[in-house]
Amino acid sequence: MKLPHFLHPVPPVDPDISVATAPDGVTSILLVDDEPAIRSLCAAALRRDGYFVAEAGDGKAAITAAAAAGRVDVVVTDVRMPRMDGVEMARTLRAHRPELPIVFVTGYP
């Protein structure tokens, strides 16, 4: 049985941030989650579908990642994270870009 490409092991990344400049013509997603395994799986699935993905391990790292990526089209973020949660991060990002779409995801009720 062959596993889907996004389930194959990937090299470890810095747990706080993984960013490159978003290329033109590709939707850029900033993915924020403090659980590396969840973040890695989601990032791999999004990349497989053709999206550019910048990753961050919490809200503070996400603000740095958003600046480093140069362009962020949408943010997908966990709600509960250490240092800065998703809601506070969203408020900070939207202070500079009020139109920025943000999708909140959580495993908590």
Side-chain angles (χ1 to χ4, degrees):
M1 178 171 92
K2 186 173 180 182
L3 293 174
H5 177 69
F6 67 90
L7 291 179
H8 289 275
V10 295
V13 296
D14 182 321
D16 289 329
I17 189 168
S18 174
V19 178
T21 303
D24 290 335
V26 177
T27 300
S28 174
I29 298 174
L30 175 55
L31 178 63
V32 189
D33 198 302
D34 61 318
E35 292 291 333
I38 292 170
R39 190 174 67 241
S40 178
L41 180 64
C42 292
L46 290 166
R47 287 184 181 114
R48 178 200 64 200
D49 289 342
Y51 297 102
F52 170 83
V53 181
E55 300 177 48
D58 62 45
K60 286 189 181 279
I63 292 168
T64 301
R71 177 177 51 82
V72 173
D73 298 315
V74 63
V75 176
V76 177
T77 184
D78 189 6
V79 175
R80 296 177 70 172
M81 296 178 289
R83 296 195 322 155
M84 179 185 283
D85 67 27
V87 175
E88 185 179 350
M89 178 219 44
R91 285 187 188 121
T92 302
L93 290 174
R94 281 205 168 147
H96 301 284
R97 289 196 46 213
E99 79 291 350
L100 181 63
I102 299 175
V103 178
F104 293 96
V105 182
T106 187
Y108 293 95

